[in-house]
């Protein structure tokens, strides 16, 4: 009798603690810390790796509709520095940081509540539910912040727009191409964000569990570094072709003859006219940026979450 009572009390105590964590995460201050730590970590990582993002966009727009030798990231870097100067490597930084705070906060911030919802609804938290949670968080986040991404890539491709500024460029896009232009590429952008968040967060989450179970690593810097490096590699391989299609759609103008109709049409045209390698233009630049960005994001986010009193991812 006493044994049953004690066992019941212990399970009730465990349930209470679990619910208490959820209540804490769903409170106003908990949500603020949750989304704030995510947004700040992504913004810092974005700022540090922004020059690589500029090079990636330039590489993806090489030989549009043509086959031919591609310029590598090194020669392109030298060319940009010589012709446009060092400041050109920070084109579009303001919208990039704005988007990082919003998109990053939402993308990482929505992952955990989505994972908890799957656990509550299905009683399971396996890799498939982690992938589904990441895909949902990524797609929703990018659909809401797509206009800032369009503005960012437009500024990155044209150094003449630097003096005009992001607000003036947004007005110009709306007046000349319509407000719908701010959602150009939202389809592939959402698919990319869903694939990126699913592969990045699910891989990071699962890698941490496997490494803790099968290696001497414990919660801390080296575990976060190893898991985030694995996540960066996996997410680059999965998202590079989608990123290419997204960039092409965002940079095309309505007046261009033979413009891409949608993401599938764009992917088909790239394959048909530029070959399979066309989908991986800028692939090395994507990894050179996404690898360090993923590592910086997760290490910083884990540290900020610890300081804020939140659980590790």
């Amino acid at each position: 009798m006493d044994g049953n009572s004690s066992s019941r009390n212990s399970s009730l105590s465990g349930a209470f603690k679990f619910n208490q964590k959820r209540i804490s995460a769903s409170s106003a201050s908990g949500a603020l810390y949750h989304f704030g730590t995510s947004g700040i970590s992504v913004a810092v990582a974005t700022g540090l790796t922004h020059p690589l993002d500029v090079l990636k966009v330039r590489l993806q727009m090489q030989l549009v509709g043509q086959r031919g030798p591609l310029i590598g990231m090194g020669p392109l870097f030298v060319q940009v520095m010589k012709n446009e100067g060092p400041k050109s490597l920070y084109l579009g930084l303001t919208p990039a940081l704005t988007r990082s705070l919003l998109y990053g906060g939402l993308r990482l911030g929505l992952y955990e509540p989505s994972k908890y919802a799957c656990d509550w609804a299905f009683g399971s938290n396996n890799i498939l539910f982690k992938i589904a949670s990441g895909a949902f968080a990524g797609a929703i986040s990018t659909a809401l912040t797509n206009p800032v991404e369009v503005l960012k890539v437009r500024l990155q491709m044209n150094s003449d727009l630097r003096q005009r500024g992001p607000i003036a460029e947004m007005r110009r896009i709306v007046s000349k191409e319509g407000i719908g232009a701010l959602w150009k590429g939202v389809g592939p952008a959402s698919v990319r964000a869903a694939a990126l968040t699913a592969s990045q967060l699910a891989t990071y989450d699962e890698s941490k569990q496997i490494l803790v179970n099968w290696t001497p690593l414990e919660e801390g810097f080296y575990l976060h570094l190893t898991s985030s490096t694995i996540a960066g590699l996996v997410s680059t391989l999965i998202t590079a072709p989608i990123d290419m299609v997204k960039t092409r759609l965002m940079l095309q103008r309505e007046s261009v003859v033979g413009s891409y109709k949608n993401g599938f049409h764009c992917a088909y045209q790239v394959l048909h006219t530029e070959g399979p390698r066309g989908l991986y233009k800028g692939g090395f630049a994507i990894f050179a940026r996404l690898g360090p960005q993923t590592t910086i994001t997760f290490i910083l986010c884990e540290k900020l979450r610890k300081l804020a009193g939140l659980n590790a991812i």
Side-chain angles (χ1 to χ4, degrees), residues 78-208:
V78 173
Q79 182 182 309
V80 170
M81 289 288 284
K82 183 181 176 181
N83 297 337
E84 303 174 45
K87 285 186 178 179
S88 61
L89 293 174
Y90 290 90
L91 290 169
L93 181 61
T94 300
L97 292 176
T98 303
R99 179 181 178 272
S100 295
L101 285 168
L102 299 173
Y103 167 73
L106 287 168
R107 187 169 70 88
L108 271 69
L110 287 172
Y111 173 70
E112 229 174 332
S114 302
K115 196 170 66 167
Y116 284 149
C118 287
D119 189 20
W120 176 79
F122 303 103
S124 173
N125 203 12
N126 61 31
I127 184 67
L128 294 177
F129 288 115
K130 289 176 183 176
I131 291 171
S133 300
F136 170 77
I140 293 295
S141 304
T142 231
L144 293 172
T145 59
N146 198 73
V148 192
E149 174 74 0
V150 170
L151 187 60
K152 184 197 78 170
V153 296
R154 293 285 182 96
L155 290 169
Q156 286 176 334
M157 274 303 293
N158 194 343
S159 58
D160 294 336
L161 298 177
R162 184 166 50 204
Q163 294 180 350
R164 184 183 297 168
I167 302 298
E169 174 59 13
M170 181 173 283
R171 287 176 181 161
R172 190 201 65 77
I173 291 172
V174 172
S175 64
K176 290 198 172 182
E177 302 174 52
I179 197 164
L182 295 175
W183 272 270
K184 275 185 178 178
V186 68
S190 296
V191 171
R192 176 193 174 275
L196 171 65
T197 309
S199 58
Q200 202 178 55
L201 282 166
T203 302
Y204 178 76
D205 201 341
E206 200 68 14
S207 295
K208 276 182 70 177

Side-chain angles (χ1 to χ4, degrees), residues 199 231-242 280 283 286-287 290:
S199 58
L233 178 60
V234 171
S235 56
T236 299
L237 290 172
I238 290 172
T239 61
I242 308 170
Y280 278 89
I286 292 173
F287 177 71
L290 191 56

Side-chain angles (χ1 to χ4, degrees), residues 237-252:
L237 290 172
I238 290 172
T239 61
I242 308 170
D243 192 84
M244 152 65 72
V245 171
K246 177 210 74 169
T247 301
R248 289 286 179 90
L249 286 174
M250 285 181 173
L251 286 169
Q252 75 172 351

Side-chain angles (χ1 to χ4, degrees), residues 27-40:
S27 67
S29 59
L32 180 63
Y33 286 138
H34 192 66
F35 287 94
T37 53
S38 302
I40 290 168

